[in-house]
Amino acid sequence: MYKNGIWLILILLLASCKVDYGKITSTTMSPGLNVGDIIFWDKEDQYTYGDVVFILMPDSFRVNKWEYGVYRVVALQGDTIEIKNNICVINGRMSKTRFIRKTYDTDEFLVDQTEEELFNGTKIMLYIGNTDDMALPELSNTTPLVVPQNNYFVLGDNRTESIDSRYIGPVSIENIKGKVTKVIRK
C-alpha cells in the first residue's frame, strides 16, 4: 500500500510539471537504455549533439505500431552527416572510436561494445554487430546528407538493431517530444 501511495504522489507531481515519462520498449538504445527502463523527458526549444530524445515516429511507422522512439542526436540542421561502418562522419570529421570488448546484445547477437566520441566530446557506448545480423544491413554505410532546417539526425546506440534516421530520415523538431532527463533502471 505504501509503495502505491508513493507512485500516486509521483504521478500527480509529474502531471503538474512539463515533464512526461514512459517505458523503453525496444533495444534501439542498448546498452545505455534497456527494455523496461522508465524514462522522463522535458520539451526544449533546441537540442544538441549527444542529447537523447523521445520522438514521435513518422506516419508510415505509426501504422506498423511504432508510435514513439528514443534516439541520440548526432547531427544538427545544416550539418552534413554520413555513416561509414556504423560510425558517424559529421561535417567531414569521423568520430573517434575505441573497442571495449566482444559481448552479446539483448537479442543474443555477438557484437562489439565500442565507445564513440562525437567531435564535440560527447562519448557514447555503442553496440555494433556484424552487418549480416542487421535488420537493414545496407544502413551501415550511407551517402552524405545535409540535415534540413529545423531537423535533427538521430541514431540508436545499438547500431545493428536501430531503425533510425538512416531509415526514416531526419526528424523534425515538431516530432521531438523532449530530451530524456532521467532514467529509472528496471
Side-chain angles (χ1 to χ4, degrees):
M1 183 72 164
Y2 175 73
K3 193 174 187 180
N4 290 341
I6 290 174
W7 277 109
L8 179 61
I9 291 169
L10 180 62
I11 290 169
L12 290 173
L13 283 171
L14 288 172
S16 67
C17 301
K18 293 183 180 184
V19 174
D20 259 323
Y21 64 98
K23 189 181 274 192
I24 299 289
T25 59
S26 80
T27 59
T28 295
M29 290 299 291
S30 294
L33 299 173
N34 295 296
V35 173
D37 289 350
I38 297 172
I39 58 169
F40 297 83
W41 63 89
D42 194 10
K43 182 71 175 167
E44 296 189 6
D45 294 330
Q46 60 185 9
Y47 303 92
T48 194
Y49 306 101
D51 284 351
V52 176
V53 293
F54 185 77
I55 71 166
L56 177 64
M57 295 297 276
D59 289 338
S60 59
F61 279 88
R62 283 187 250 152
V63 171
N64 296 324
K65 308 265 187 284
W66 280 19
E67 193 165 348
Y68 296 97
V70 180
Y71 300 96
R72 186 176 304 278
V73 173
V74 296
L76 312 179
Q77 62 188 2
D79 284 344
T80 300
I81 176 88
E82 181 179 6
I83 307 298
K84 290 185 178 179
N85 296 320
N86 284 307
I87 302 299
C88 295
V89 179
I90 303 166
N91 300 323
R93 296 171 64 187
M94 183 172 265
S95 298
K96 297 176 187 173
T97 60
R98 182 173 64 93
F99 173 81
I100 304 296
R101 65 185 172 122
K102 291 263 186 211
T103 189
Y104 288 92
D105 70 5
T106 51
D107 292 326
E108 297 304 318
F109 289 113
L110 185 63
V111 296
D112 291 343
Q113 188 170 0
T114 304
E115 181 183 72
E116 178 180 39
E117 183 177 342
L118 300 177
F119 71 91
N120 72 336
T122 299
K123 292 183 179 181
I124 306 163
M125 195 60 65
L126 305 177
Y127 279 161
I128 300 177
N130 182 327
T131 55
D132 293 338
D133 294 334
M134 288 182 74
L136 299 162
E138 66 275 15
L139 299 180
S140 61
N141 293 288
T142 66
T143 57
L145 167 81
V146 176
V147 181
Q149 190 76 4
N150 298 316
N151 280 258
Y152 295 88
F153 196 92
V154 298
L155 292 175
D157 291 351
N158 187 346
R159 299 279 165 86
T160 312
E161 294 287 317
S162 184
I163 304 298
D164 46 37
S165 284
R166 295 173 291 177
Y167 188 71
I168 65 172
V171 177
S172 147
I173 192 160
E174 289 84 26
N175 285 354
I176 297 179
K177 297 303 168 193
K179 175 182 171 181
V180 173
T181 55
K182 175 81 176 142
V183 178
I184 297 175
R185 305 281 175 206
K186 70 172 186 175

